[in-house]
Amino acid sequence: MTPTSNIAIQCLGYTPIPVALLSCDEVPRVDLYRKDAETGRLRLYRAAEVPMLPEDLTRLEQSKVGWLYTPEADHGEMQVYIRRKLDQLVGDNSISVRERFGRLNEVVSGILESTFEAGETDEVMQSSAYVASQAIKLLCQNEMTAGDLISLLHHDYQTVTHSLNVAYMMVTLAREMRLVSDSELFAVAVAGILHDIGKLSVSERILNKSQRLQRREERVAQKHPAHGFRRLCERTDISFAQLMVVYQHHERMTGKGYPVGAVGEEIHPWARLCSVVNVFESLVSNRPYRRRYPLTEAFQIMDGPLSAGLDREMYECWKQLILKK
């Protein structure tokens, strides 16, 4: 799997430009549009001939505007621009690792959201590889702690946000436990991003329901590991370990998981790793039917009946990694 992708996705004829990658000395000389928060419509924000000032970028960031849009940029040229700016950001040692990761996460969330919405497996695979290759460069620096990571993540419940968070956490835990070599951490990150790809085959109505699912709806939602397996199993650019993350991340050591009720060592180590952080991430993120739990409360819940289904060593390592000062 090569870390390349169409990372600038056209949206209704407009090409998105990530605000986190803009600098006053290098803004594309095109008309820039901003999406209205209430109506979703694009409105002219800055004409091509008007320079971008530092205070403009500050206001955009304070307003949590992540993307501007242009109808005029060459699509291929914009992909090159975004990739080059991301490379510069990740390699900019004048900025702290924490700040670089925060900016990177803003951009790659938008990249993956576009590709997941399109639902094309090839595009999802390529974007996942690109995102993983960039994230690994920062996650593997000792300056980046697990506490830093948790504080920088978004906690809204969307498939893309959740998948990215799980991927970052999987890398952090795998690295701490020395579960894989450093060269394999890229593959672990990709597996984390892809673990819920089967949800592309589940209705948005079920995924975003604001009340707890009825039993019939639960059965539909619980088919997503099998959907993901079928979507990926014949591809040559995914490993067995990555495929097992997709298929087994809801299996439990006690045999009370799904889709097949695998027990203990029948569950691949990478899938057991994913299970631990997947449960944790779900608890500390907002859900359509509840608010996120604070860290201490999340671990209290995981210390209860949930813990029997998780790999004990992996769970204890993750808990210590998050709670240590």
Side-chain angles (χ1 to χ4, degrees), residues 86-141:
L86 274 175
D87 288 342
Q88 290 175 357
L89 170 65
V90 171
D92 188 353
N93 292 324
S94 68
I95 305 174
S96 70
V97 174
R98 178 187 172 92
E99 184 175 348
R100 277 180 276 167
F101 182 84
R103 292 189 195 178
L104 174 71
N105 194 35
E106 292 291 339
V107 177
V108 299
S109 297
I111 291 170
L112 279 180
E113 184 176 356
S114 296
T115 53
F116 269 68
E117 284 178 356
E120 294 292 332
T121 304
D122 285 345
E123 184 62 32
V124 171
M125 294 289 289
Q126 291 169 8
S127 292
S128 298
Y130 180 79
V131 167
S133 70
Q134 295 291 351
I136 285 294
K137 296 173 186 175
L138 298 177
L139 289 171
C140 290
Q141 296 194 35

Side-chain angles (χ1 to χ4, degrees), residues 205 209 211-220:
R205 181 189 64 80
K209 188 175 179 181
Q211 297 86 33
R212 287 194 175 275
L213 299 181
Q214 297 177 357
R215 183 56 191 152
R216 177 183 57 81
E217 295 169 323
E218 279 187 355
R219 287 195 294 268
V220 172

